[in-house]
Amino acid sequence: MTRVATANSYSTVLADLMRAQSRQQEANQQVSSQKTASDLKGFSRHAETLLAARSVQTRVEGFLEQGKVLTARLEAQDLALNQAADSAQGARQAIAEALAAGRADALAGELNSWFGSATEAFNTRHGGRYLFAGGQIDTKPVAAEGLADLTAAPDIGSLFSNDGLKPVSRLDESTTIESGFLADELGGDLFEAFRQVQAYIEANGDFSSPMTEAQTTFLQGMLDDFDAARVGLTEQAARNGLNQNRLDTALERQEARGVMLQGVVANVTEVDMAEAITRLQQAQTAVQASAQVFATLRDSSLLNLLRG
């Protein structure tokens, strides 16, 4: 004769009820958080993959943040370099117009104005730092304020206060670019052309109207010097533009990597909502069924029969 113990039945049904409740709680947590787990323990089978993806994600986010900062700096450099090139072109144009008109009484003032524009370009600041000062970001790279300062200096090099440290920026794990320029390399030729004009004025007096033959000959010779300075500055602006293009391409790659890594992480951490909801409904049904069995077992106890 087989004996059925009430205690064993209760124990079995209670264990089933607790397992069903545990599955319901897990499914409910997944549905509410949309995550398969809340810690690495829950991702134990995929923990290594998840940690590796998170590590690369952190690096990618860092490159993207650096890229945004570098983008703004390169844009500021583009404006400054084009302003300097325009100053060289403006000075040349002023000389050409004076030669065409045969009058140069206002030329010195115009050249001084264009020199001021060039100086302002080389002293451009971005984020509170001088762009073309090398490592001496808090020191104004050009202290000269007028053409007279050019001839007062012992040489052109002494007019610049930058050092020789050119900024280098990292685009990704294996790619760096020389992203900055130095004021003395940018402005040396242009300042030398301005210095020659100022030295001529100090030695021979202001340009006259009409111009003398000697003044005309001198100014005709200066056209090529200012044109060469403009070409050099335009080439530097083109280099900066090339860096901008390389940076844009690098940022596109990093953004694509970020999307891919987000998908890898999502495959590990995020649940299939349809599947999770189904599991939750199944767990709720199992809890209800186990609870019903438990209630039925309680009502069929021998004690109830004895009382009856």
Side-chain angles (χ1 to χ4, degrees), residues 265-279:
V265 172
N267 287 337
V268 174
T269 62
E270 296 183 8
V271 298
D272 183 327
M273 288 302 294
E275 181 182 346
I277 291 173
T278 299
R279 287 201 306 270

Side-chain angles (χ1 to χ4, degrees), residues 5 40 52 109 138 140 151 166 170 225 243 272:
L40 283 177
D138 296 324
K140 183 185 294 187
T151 52
K166 292 184 179 180
R170 181 171 294 278
D225 290 354
N243 283 338
D272 183 327

Side-chain angles (χ1 to χ4, degrees), residues 76-116:
Q77 286 182 175
D78 179 69
L79 292 174
L81 290 169
N82 280 289
Q83 180 179 335
D86 289 344
S87 298
Q89 176 61 24
R92 185 193 184 284
Q93 185 66 26
I95 293 174
E97 291 176 356
L99 288 170
R103 301 177 59 86
D105 47 331
L107 181 59
E110 289 185 65
L111 293 179
N112 200 63
S113 176
W114 286 117
F115 174 74

Side-chain angles (χ1 to χ4, degrees), residues 15-33 35-36 271 275-291:
D16 289 342
L17 177 59
M18 292 177 65
R19 283 194 295 270
Q21 288 176 329
S22 177
R23 289 195 295 270
Q24 180 185 18
Q25 181 180 3
E26 180 182 356
N28 186 60
Q29 182 177 3
Q30 290 181 349
V31 170
S32 60
S33 66
K35 303 293 182 182
T36 57
V271 298
E275 181 182 346
I277 291 173
T278 299
R279 287 201 306 270
L280 177 59
Q281 292 173 342
Q282 291 174 342
Q284 289 172 337
T285 301
V287 169
Q288 293 171 358
S290 296

Side-chain angles (χ1 to χ4, degrees), residues 76-271:
Q77 286 182 175
D78 179 69
L79 292 174
L81 290 169
N82 280 289
Q83 180 179 335
D86 289 344
S87 298
Q89 176 61 24
R92 185 193 184 284
Q93 185 66 26
I95 293 174
E97 291 176 356
L99 288 170
R103 301 177 59 86
D105 47 331
L107 181 59
E110 289 185 65
L111 293 179
N112 200 63
S113 176
W114 286 117
F115 174 74
S117 178
T119 299
E120 179 183 338
F122 298 138
N123 285 334
T124 296
R125 302 179 71 178
H126 175 71
R129 301 180 175 187
Y130 289 103
L131 284 176
F132 305 121
Q136 303 187 80
I137 54 177
D138 296 324
T139 302
K140 183 185 294 187
V142 179
E145 297 181 354
L147 293 176
D149 294 330
L150 298 177
T151 52
D155 55 54
I156 291 297
S158 63
L159 295 168
F160 298 94
S161 301
N162 60 274
D163 60 21
L165 183 63
K166 292 184 179 180
V168 175
S169 302
R170 181 171 294 278
L171 301 183
D172 54 38
E173 291 87 348
S174 60
T175 307
T176 59
I177 60 172
E178 191 176 88
S179 57
F181 302 86
L182 301 177
D184 59 345
E185 295 181 358
L186 293 172
D189 291 343
L190 180 58
F191 277 24
E192 175 59 29
F194 279 121
R195 189 198 67 78
Q196 291 183 45
V197 175
Q198 180 63 19
Y200 183 90
I201 293 174
E202 291 177 359
N204 301 282
D206 290 336
F207 295 109
S208 59
S209 294
M211 291 188 294
T212 65
E213 183 177 347
Q215 291 174 344
T216 299
T217 301
F218 170 76
L219 289 177
Q220 286 175 338
M222 292 307 303
L223 290 175
D224 289 340
D225 290 354
F226 280 103
D227 197 45
R230 179 194 61 80
V231 170
L233 288 165
T234 301
E235 289 175 350
Q236 298 303 317
R239 280 185 54 199
N240 188 72
L242 178 61
N243 283 338
Q244 288 179 296
N245 290 335
R246 293 183 64 185
L247 175 59
D248 289 342
T249 301
L251 288 176
E252 289 176 1
R253 288 200 302 267
Q254 296 299 339
E255 289 172 353
R257 288 180 71 191
V259 171
M260 181 270 293
L261 289 166
Q262 187 175 3
V264 171
V265 172
N267 287 337
V268 174
T269 62
E270 296 183 8
V271 298

